Amino acid sequence: MDINNLANTTLDLFQQNKTAVVTTASAAALVLSVPLLSRIASDYRAWYALGPNGIPLNIFGYLFQAAASPFARLDTRVPAPYDAAALSKRYGALTLQSFLPRSPLPPRSGPRPDVPAYVGPQRQTSQQASAETRDAQESFLHAFAAANPDAVRVRPSNLEGPLFNSLWLRDGVPVRGEIRRLGGEFAHPHGEGSTHLVLSLADAARAIEGGWAERHRMSGVGSLMPWGFVLIYAPRDDDELEVWKGFVLASARYVLGGEKEAVMP
């Protein structure tokens, strides 16, 4: 076979039918892109429906979190996907201790809620808290701060935006290195009742193993968020609300590092 003649013939055919070839290629690209664009539009609507958060609620926020997805964790429901001994050198021996008031921690009943795999925001879309439970969560934040006035305070979240209240360390209270990038913010509930907070590695593993929590997708990724940054699922009844309060107390006790004692209201 004469390769040169074949190449010349192919080139001649392309030149003679260039318009048809380009039109066909454009049509094929359009056909292939329609399902992709439809999936992206559907995914964007689902992401947008999660509501206000620390990322702009627009296409730029959506693309920002999507760009971070290749670097995010997939093992968010694995209790301890880390070398605890190595991280204790990084976070200190305190991170291997438990600060939960209930021992043993009771298992959460039933299946875990649905949590879409977006980098942000992290929210649950099923088993959400009632309005009464959300009011109780907000009341507890203020009562907890009032019971620990020298240690913590309530102010709008910097991580999730001004619509959500958060517990912060008081000015002047030493901030553990692992939450320094969080500015001293250590616990904030969301509109559907789930809560982000910082736990010791021991308590984070217990919470995940017991079905109460999962890790944020950026937990342990670089120094952005500590390994103990978890999502506690929304309380479904009064008993679970009490467990939730225990997690908030454990978070405060841990981030205070033994420098100050946190107490229940």
Side-chain angles (χ1 to χ4, degrees):
M1 179 182 294
D2 190 330
I3 299 298
N4 290 329
N5 286 337
L6 178 61
N8 290 332
T9 300
T10 301
L11 182 61
D12 289 341
L13 288 173
F14 175 78
Q15 293 292 343
Q16 295 169 17
N17 301 277
K18 182 167 59 176
T19 301
V21 169
V22 171
T23 300
T24 302
S26 299
L30 180 61
V31 168
L32 292 174
S33 66
V34 167
L36 177 62
L37 291 175
S38 178
R39 286 197 298 271
I40 292 174
S42 177
D43 192 59
Y44 175 75
R45 286 193 295 270
W47 174 84
Y48 188 91
L50 296 177
N53 60 93
I55 301 174
L57 196 61
N58 54 38
I59 189 61
F60 299 106
Y62 172 78
L63 293 175
F64 173 79
Q65 66 84 30
S69 187
F71 309 100
R73 308 205 62 81
L74 296 176
D75 51 0
T76 57
R77 295 180 176 180
V78 178
Y82 46 69
D83 185 334
L87 286 175
S88 68
K89 296 179 180 178
R90 176 178 172 183
Y91 295 156
L94 204 68
T95 199
L96 300 182
Q97 297 181 29
S98 176
F99 296 86
L100 289 168
R102 298 180 66 174
S103 183
L105 180 68
R108 182 180 183 273
S109 64
R112 294 176 185 267
D114 297 323
V115 180
Y118 299 110
V119 173
Q122 187 182 36
R123 300 286 191 270
Q124 63 185 78
T125 55
S126 64
Q127 304 178 34
Q128 298 181 347
S130 65
E132 292 75 18
T133 297
R134 279 295 293 121
D135 289 343
Q137 288 178 305
E138 287 296 314
S139 295
F140 180 78
L141 292 186
H142 292 278
F144 189 82
N148 301 276
D150 297 330
V152 301
R153 60 176 174 167
V154 176
R155 56 176 290 196
S157 173
N158 188 51
L159 297 172
E160 293 289 353
L163 294 179
F164 302 99
N165 283 323
S166 178
L167 286 175
W168 296 69
L169 294 177
R170 279 265 179 204
D171 293 340
V173 175
V175 179
R176 292 180 58 80
E178 69 202 82
I179 67 166
R180 194 162 290 132
R181 293 195 66 171
L182 306 183
E185 179 179 353
F186 64 90
H188 57 255
H190 308 126
E192 90 293 5
S194 68
T195 302
H196 277 135
L197 45 75
V198 179
L199 295 174
S200 69
L201 295 184
D203 285 340
R206 290 177 65 190
I208 295 170
E209 187 174 25
W212 294 99
E214 61 187 71
R215 222 168 251 104
H216 191 281
R217 290 196 66 200
M218 298 304 288
S219 296
V221 178
S223 59
L224 183 64
M225 292 177 178
W227 272 103
F229 192 86
V230 298
L231 179 83
I232 302 294
Y233 302 137
R236 295 170 293 181
D237 54 38
D238 289 342
D239 288 339
E240 291 192 0
L241 181 63
E242 292 304 309
V243 175
W244 175 84
K245 291 177 181 179
F247 283 123
V248 175
L249 176 63
S251 180
R253 286 176 170 174
Y254 175 59
V255 298
L256 288 168
E259 298 294 328
K260 291 179 178 292
E261 175 61 25
V263 298
M264 280 288 197

